[in-house]
Structure formats: structure tokens, C-alpha cells
Amino acid sequence: MDYVSTRGSAQRQDFRSVTLAGLASDGGLYVPREWPQFSADEIAAMAGLPYAELAAKVMQPFVGDCLTPERLLELTTKAYGRFAHKAVTPLTQFDEKQWLLELFHGPTLAFKDVALQLLGLLFEEFLTGSDQHLTIVGATSGDTGSAAIDAVAGREKIDIFMLHPKGRVSEVQRRQMTSVIAPNVHNIALTDASFDDAQAMVKRMFADTDMTGRFRITAVNSINWARLMAQVVYYFAAAIQLGAPNRKVAFSVPTGNFGDVFAGYVAAKMGLPVEKLIVATNVNDILHRALSTGDYSAHGVTPTEAPSMDIQVSSNFERLLFDAGGRDGAALAEQMKGFEASKAMQLTNAQREGAAALFTSMRADADEMHAAMRWAYENCGKVIDPHTAIGLHAALSADLPADVPVVTLATADAAKFAPAVESAIGVSPTLPPRIADLMDREEACTDLPGTYEAVASFVADNATESPAAA
Ligand SMILES: *Cc1c(COP(=O)(O)O)cnc(C)c1O
């Protein structure tokens, strides 16, 4: 399988290259040249497969010749063997229409583990035998940092540098990062810096030719195609359990950067019978505005109890604009250039119509989020986290045919957001046994002043030099 850039001018690449590269050289995002197809019979034959086997089957067409089917299955077996639930992503029931897909049984209690555990193994696989070394640099306000660190800790030929603003992440979130002690893991707490400052330093490093000339610096955010690919699998897993290919299913997805819900779009393009994808946002609702009115314009960010959805712009939305808008990379490059300058753009008619075929959207404020947490607890005895509650609110309010089941994606374990959950339902969720000793674990972290020079020289002193991209 070849991959093309959404901005049309980067060279086509194979799966190995797009995995190691992240962003395309023209600033666009990689998408497969065409969507692989599964027939109804092929989908029916997937029923009952263990998760790791289903994953290897669904992902093989994207991987192409870069891994044999046997090797891919070894990697999925290893990645998903670390999950605390045998089913990996168990599907549970609220009532005859409403379902919950639990994506939080990985090592760091958030759905990002599903993709990042595999990505860590893919990096290692593709670097083995080469003379290259990856330097992952990121800034985190919480979930991505811990999932990425856990996924690459101890892996050969990879160093990870994760910046967080000192004292501005929750204690659970900090400890999930700093208690992973391995020679290739470098946690950096920036004194006198905000999350935005940290993010700006990472961006500056990616553009700093002194750094990029010596180190192969890469990102692990959801612009990486391999992350989206891994998320396609659980849409198949859930829909097949609910009767696909003979029955349509809808999904409600708590959305930030549009990675998770775009994976649902890919599943539909591959032949999975999806009735609708509900894009659930909190009050940071750029996607809801774009999908309902065509106006994609960035406003400031309002902090909420669902911080992983507190976004100003949604990087993966570009993939939908590309595919739904007719795959015209040159036109999209122009459109995105305009957006980068003015922070606002109108979707074209083709983009709006292409998106409306599968997507609908809904926005939840704090009261609606709290009400959904109470609904789940009082009616079904289920404790859900604030992000999941936004998805559930949208699932309960959506206008869908009566016979279509709706699956809400549960993106985090409630214990990650215990204070918000307790204030909504009066019950404080406890950490699951596998990380119950988190508060007693040893921590390793370097404090640095919040300046670019301090961070760049720390990275340069601790990373391994690597020849430029292959
Ligand atoms: C990252 C995250 C999201 C948003 O997912 P996107 O793929 O960025 O849309 C939602 N909920 C939780 C808990 C997350 O960590």
C-alpha cells in the first residue's frame, strides 16, 4: 500500500516510511492511496476472532509488504497481551439500544494505549537493523505523554523526551509518566512555563535545523497514520459483535483531534456497515460548528473537566477534508494555507456533503456531561469518566433509526478523573489493581527552566545522533 499526502506534493511512501516520518514533508498528513475493501463474507468470517488476530487481519492491507502476516500477528499479540482485559476492548451494555466500548484497559488507562502500544513495537521493528535512531519529543497536558512513554520505555534505538508544565498536571497523570524508569525515558518538568509554552518549544525544535540535522526528531501525536490504523480495529470488533455485516451500527465518539472518530470513517470506507458517526465535543466545539454549519474557525480554549478534548483546532480533520472533498491535494494545500494565516475557513460544498453522509455532531456543556455520568450510574450502575460522558450525552440525544444500536466509545478509566466523577455522582472511582501502588512508586524527572535553550541543550546532551531520514 502506498500513502499520499493530503497536501499533494510530498512523494508517495510505503507504510514503513510513513510510520517513521509522522508528518509528510509538504506539511500534510499521510492517507492510503485507496481504501482497502472487505466484502460482507469476509467481515462475517471475522466473527469470534481473538482481538490480536482481528487486528492483524484488519491492518494487513495497510501494512502491505512491510511486514509478513505472521510478523504482524506476533506484534499485535505482544501489544494487546499487555491489556488487563482478555477481550482487550470489551463491549458492555447500558440498555437495549445503548452500548459502551471500553477502550481503557491498557497500561495507562486511556484509549491511546490501543494505538501507542502497537506503535512502539512498530518503531522498534522498523529501526532494527538500520543505523537510525529516533528521538521522540512531545509536550503533554496528560494522557498522551503517559501512553507514549509506556509504549517506548526500554525499546532499542528510541529516546523519548516528554515536557510538562511543572505543577500543572494532576498527580495521577504526573506519576504515570515519571514512575516509568528506563534509560531512554526523559521526563522534563518546566518551571515557569504553561502547556502552550511547552508545545511551542516542541514546534520550535522540529524547525530547528541545528537539532534536526543531528537527531531524527519525531512526534507521537495522532497525526501518525499507524495510530489511526490501529484504532480502526475496534470499530470492526464492536460492530461484528452487534450483528455486522447484516446490521448497521452507530458510534458516538468523544472527540478532540479527530483521530479516533476518523478511524471509524476508515472502517466505514472499508465496508463496515456504519449508520452514523457522532462527533461529540465539549464546549471547545470547533468540530461541531464545522460539521453543522461549515464554519471551521478557531476560538480560544476553555479548560474543562474533559481536558483531552480541550482543543483549539483538530489536526486530523484535514484527512476528512481531503477524502470527502475529492482528494485534491493542491486545492487543500491552498485552503489550509489560508486557514493557517487567518485561523478560519469555510468548508467547500463537496467537503460538507461528503462529511454529512456519515457524520453528525453534538456539543455537551458541563451540566449535560454531569447528567450523562449520573444517567449511567443511576440507571446502570456504571461509573464513566467525563470524556466518555460527553459521548454518552450525544448518543442519548442523537436522532437515529430505532433499530440501530449506538456504541459510545469509553476513552478513559473514570479513576483517571476521580475528582470530576465524584462531584457528579458522589462516588470516587479507585485505581484498578494493576496500578493501585502508583502513589508509592519511585519517580524520575528533570526540572528545567522554561526556556527553549535549556530544553534543546538537554535533548542534545541525552539523545543519540542519527543519519537523516531514509
Ligand atoms: C485523546 C483523548 C480523546 C480525544 O481523542 P481524539 O482522537 O484526539 O479525537 C478523548 N478522550 C480521551 C480520554 C483522550 O485521551
Side-chain angles (χ1 to χ4, degrees):
M1 172 70 74
D2 278 346
Y3 289 80
V4 296
S5 164
T6 52
R7 302 208 186 167
S9 54
Q11 275 202 337
R12 287 187 181 186
Q13 303 277 3
D14 67 3
F15 177 73
R16 176 186 184 276
S17 301
V18 305
T19 300
L20 292 175
L23 205 64
S25 60
D26 57 5
L29 308 184
Y30 285 114
V31 288
R33 190 167 53 79
E34 61 194 6
W35 301 117
Q37 297 296 315
F38 288 121
S39 69
D41 285 347
E42 286 170 319
I43 294 172
M46 294 173 186
L49 288 180
Y51 191 89
E53 283 182 40
L54 176 70
K57 238 187 188 48
V58 171
M59 294 192 288
Q60 185 65 50
F62 295 113
V63 171
D65 300 333
C66 291
L67 292 171
T68 64
E70 296 73 32
R71 186 61 188 147
L72 180 59
L73 179 59
E74 280 169 15
L75 296 182
T76 59
T77 303
K78 191 166 171 191
Y80 300 121
R82 291 198 61 205
F83 279 58
H85 197 296
K86 271 270 178 217
V88 182
T89 62
L91 181 67
T92 62
Q93 190 165 21
F94 285 120
D95 63 19
E96 50 296 328
K97 189 172 176 71
Q98 301 290 336
W99 297 78
L100 189 72
L101 183 60
E102 297 181 2
L103 302 176
F104 51 73
H105 293 283
T108 75
L109 315 185
F111 89 96
K112 293 187 171 69
D113 289 325
V114 179
L116 282 165
Q117 286 292 321
L118 183 71
L119 186 64
L121 293 172
L122 288 171
F123 280 155
E124 189 174 61
E125 177 81 9
F126 290 146
L127 291 167
T128 299
S130 80
D131 56 357
Q132 293 185 29
H133 197 104
L134 278 190
T135 298
I136 297 170
V137 183
T140 187
S141 52
D143 285 348
T144 304
S146 53
I149 286 171
D150 194 282
V152 303
R155 301 218 174 281
E156 276 185 46
K157 302 191 162 214
I158 304 173
D159 275 293
I160 186 164
F161 296 83
M162 194 54 68
L163 315 180
H164 71 267
K166 189 176 169 75
R168 313 263 187 106
V169 299
S170 76
E171 186 171 8
V172 169
Q173 289 179 319
R174 184 194 75 238
R175 285 180 169 275
Q176 282 192 300
M177 296 191 283
T178 58
S179 67
V180 179
I181 304 209
N184 69 331
V185 171
H186 310 274
N187 276 290
I188 299 171
L190 295 172
T191 55
D192 308 315
S194 66
F195 172 66
D196 288 338
D197 298 336
Q199 190 94 46
M201 286 180 209
V202 172
K203 279 215 175 112
R204 184 163 160 196
M205 196 172 298
F206 279 86
D208 178 346
T209 48
D210 286 345
M211 294 297 287
T212 57
R214 291 175 59 195
F215 305 103
R216 184 159 186 184
I217 299 181
T218 197
V220 284
N221 51 17
S222 62
I223 53 138
N224 192 302
W225 167 258
R227 277 187 63 175
L228 298 195
M229 173 189 77
Q231 292 169 220
V232 174
V233 176
Y234 48 70
Y235 287 90
F236 275 86
I240 290 168
Q241 286 174 69
L242 290 174
N246 302 316
R247 188 186 189 199
K248 284 194 165 189
V249 179
F251 291 91
S252 180
V253 187
T255 297
N257 264 320
F258 205 74
D260 205 3
V261 75
F262 187 76
Y265 175 84
V266 175
K269 291 283 163 188
M270 294 172 78
L272 194 71
V274 173
E275 169 76 27
K276 273 285 180 235
L277 296 164
I278 308 168
V279 175
T281 77
N282 63 20
V283 296
N284 297 294
D285 62 353
I286 180 169
L287 287 169
H288 174 57
R289 284 182 283 115
L291 290 168
S292 52
T293 70
D295 167 35
Y296 189 77
S297 59
H299 297 174
V301 175
T302 306
T304 73
E305 288 173 329
S308 297
M309 296 161 67
D310 292 346
I311 47 109
Q312 195 178 15
V313 298
S314 243
S315 38
N316 279 296
F317 197 51
E318 180 169 341
R319 288 189 158 110
L320 176 68
L321 297 180
F322 177 71
D323 197 57
R327 291 191 160 232
D328 183 344
L332 186 59
E334 275 304 302
Q335 198 181 6
M336 293 308 299
K337 218 162 81 193
F339 176 74
E340 278 155 19
S342 66
K343 295 288 170 232
M345 68 184 182
Q346 278 304 121
L347 271 50
T348 66
N349 284 342
Q351 287 167 337
R352 285 191 71 178
E353 281 160 25
L358 265 173
F359 290 95
T360 178
S361 66
M362 194 135 345
R363 165 196 200 268
D365 63 20
D367 288 345
E368 290 164 329
M369 177 179 75
H370 293 154
M373 279 194 260
R374 281 194 298 275
W375 185 91
Y377 186 63
E378 287 163 11
N379 294 295
C380 313
K382 270 195 193 299
V383 179
I384 60 172
D385 103 288
H387 303 79
T388 306
I390 288 168
L392 178 61
H393 166 78
L396 292 170
S397 331
D399 182 18
L400 292 165
D403 59 342
V404 171
V406 191
V407 179
T408 297
L409 272 50
T411 49
D413 188 305
K416 261 194 126 152
F417 301 94
V421 174
E422 183 170 11
S423 82
I425 64 170
V427 171
S428 182
T430 50
L431 288 169
R434 66 191 186 283
I435 67 159
D437 66 340
L438 183 68
M439 296 301 173
D440 306 321
R441 290 184 191 166
E442 188 190 339
E443 292 184 79
C445 186
T446 303
D447 283 2
L448 289 178
T451 65
Y452 178 74
E453 290 68 28
V455 172
S457 75
F458 183 85
V459 172
D461 289 346
N462 290 282
T464 305
E465 297 208 10
S466 180

